[in-house]
Amino acid sequence: MTALPVGRTLVRLGPARLVVRHRPLLVGGVLVVLLAAAVVLSLSLGTPYVAPVDVLRSVSGAGTRYDLVVLDLRLPRVVLAALVGAVFGIAGTLIQSVARNPLASPDVVGVTQGAGLAATVALTSGAAAPLIAPAALAGGLAATVVVLLLGLRHGLAAQRFVLAGVAVAVALRALTEVVMLSADPIDGLRAQLWLVGTLAGKGWREAAYLGMTLLVLLPVLLWAGWALNGSALDDDTARGVGLRPVARRVGLATTGVLAAAMVTAQVGAVDFVALVAPQVARRLVRAERPPLVCAALVGALLVVLADLAGRRLFAPTQLPAGVLTAALGGPYLIYLLLRGRRKVS
């Protein structure tokens, strides 16, 4: 029997055999602990302050005099923040793996801009509030179709996919600005608030929608976790081992942009989470490609902390979570660009 490399264990499940890497399990466990701590901290801080022990008692159902504050006012928003970050982390992992580019994300390839344009049109045309999310979802999916059609001409090649996405994103962003400038100032302000991405005023309804989205996509995500193993292979090598690289890339890209469109439709454009989370997870795990579960946990941790910082840094004024994630993601994007330039040199 061939000896396994250091840091891996062979697990037998009946006739099946699974090689488990130790580091992803360790990193995932640490991220779960950090996420739980961030959730408790977010539920504690505010007016009134709630001691962590009382937070744990309220969440466990033991009952305290802070149940209304913890369970009804803060918990829905914190759960939503974790789900938003997790879905963006998954979407970013899938898109970056298809593009083979750490700069690719829903913010870059047009999904966010398509949703933003549709939501802006709905907000500035006086559409009813329940129609905003469906309109944003339709816009994000329409942008996705355009990008995929442009990229499929050469088998959804990585470079063509990214360039098509950037071109579509720039065009849609320009159209969004035109719509906002020509709209009533009040409606334009509402659209601007939606575009920066905020969790204020949202809760269980949006969290339930995203939870159902993850549940429905779970079989596809299980397939995607396996399919990502061959994403680093070139087309000739993939075909040589019996894989279908084009169909695999289309499936992964479609799943990623669908997830990104759904979460953007609910909370707006929380930028850069899908860009940062996969790369942070990849570096923590020291893997060739971003790990799906760890990227979801990093994304959840980022958005929970960003929403907490937005609520408390300038209290009583609240900053949208998208502002804080953009403040983090902008410098990180510059770092990736400079790092890539040094590698080329």
Side-chain angles (χ1 to χ4, degrees):
M1 181 180 296
T2 303
L4 292 175
V6 177
R8 303 191 183 192
T9 301
L10 180 64
V11 178
R12 292 181 174 86
L13 301 174
R17 295 183 179 184
L18 179 66
V19 177
V20 177
R21 294 182 60 202
H22 299 172
R23 189 173 182 86
L25 288 178
L26 176 62
V27 171
V30 172
L31 288 173
V32 168
V33 173
L34 292 176
L35 178 59
V39 167
V40 172
L41 185 64
S42 185
L43 294 175
S44 297
L45 297 180
T47 306
Y49 168 78
V50 182
V53 63
D54 289 326
V55 167
L56 295 176
R57 290 182 60 194
S58 292
V59 173
S60 65
T64 70
R65 61 194 180 99
Y66 296 107
D67 282 356
L68 176 64
V69 174
V70 173
L71 300 179
D72 295 340
L73 298 182
R74 296 180 185 171
L75 185 61
R77 182 164 170 170
V78 174
V79 171
L80 176 61
L83 287 171
V84 167
V87 177
F88 270 131
I90 290 170
T93 299
L94 297 177
I95 292 173
Q96 288 180 10
S97 297
V98 170
R100 302 175 189 174
N101 190 329
L103 301 180
S105 73
D107 325 306
V108 177
V109 299
V111 180
T112 300
Q113 289 77 10
L117 175 60
T120 300
V121 171
L123 286 166
T124 57
S125 62
L131 298 179
I132 305 303
L137 177 59
L141 295 179
T144 298
V145 171
V146 174
V147 173
L148 289 176
L149 289 176
L150 291 173
L152 276 172
R153 292 188 58 187
H154 294 279
L156 203 64
Q159 185 177 7
R160 186 177 182 86
F161 175 69
V162 174
L163 290 177
V166 170
V168 170
V170 171
L172 293 175
R173 182 62 184 174
L175 289 175
T176 302
E177 295 291 342
V178 171
V179 173
M180 290 179 61
L181 289 173
S182 60
D184 180 82
I186 299 299
D187 291 335
L189 179 60
R190 290 174 58 208
Q192 184 63 43
L193 289 174
W194 189 95
L195 287 172
V196 297
T198 180
L199 306 181
K202 300 179 174 64
W204 286 128
R205 183 174 64 84
E206 292 79 9
Y209 178 88
L210 294 182
M212 288 299 298
T213 297
L214 284 176
L215 188 61
V216 170
L217 290 178
L218 183 59
V220 182
L221 293 177
L222 292 175
W223 166 81
W226 168 81
L228 285 173
N229 292 325
S231 61
L233 300 176
D234 60 79
D235 288 0
D236 292 335
T237 303
R239 292 189 185 98
V241 297
L243 302 178
R244 300 170 59 190
V246 175
R248 179 173 296 207
R249 285 199 296 270
V250 171
L252 291 172
T254 302
T255 303
V257 296
L258 180 63
M262 287 183 171
V263 68
T264 303
Q266 294 300 311
V267 298
V270 184
D271 288 334
F272 289 111
V273 176
L275 173 73
V276 173
Q279 293 305 309
V280 171
R282 185 178 70 82
R283 283 165 172 75
L284 290 174
V285 176
R286 297 178 185 172
E288 294 182 0
R289 61 171 179 81
L292 203 59
V293 175
C294 290
L297 291 172
V298 171
L301 180 61
L302 285 176
V303 178
V304 169
L305 292 177
D307 185 56
L308 173 61
R311 287 193 296 111
R312 300 307 307 161
L313 282 180
F314 300 98
T317 301
Q318 293 193 24
L319 294 178
V323 172
L324 274 299
T325 58
L328 170 68
Y332 187 77
L333 178 59
I334 295 173
Y335 161 75
L336 287 178
L337 290 171
L338 292 176
R339 187 170 181 270
R341 185 176 179 180
R342 284 198 299 268
K343 283 187 175 182
V344 172
S345 301

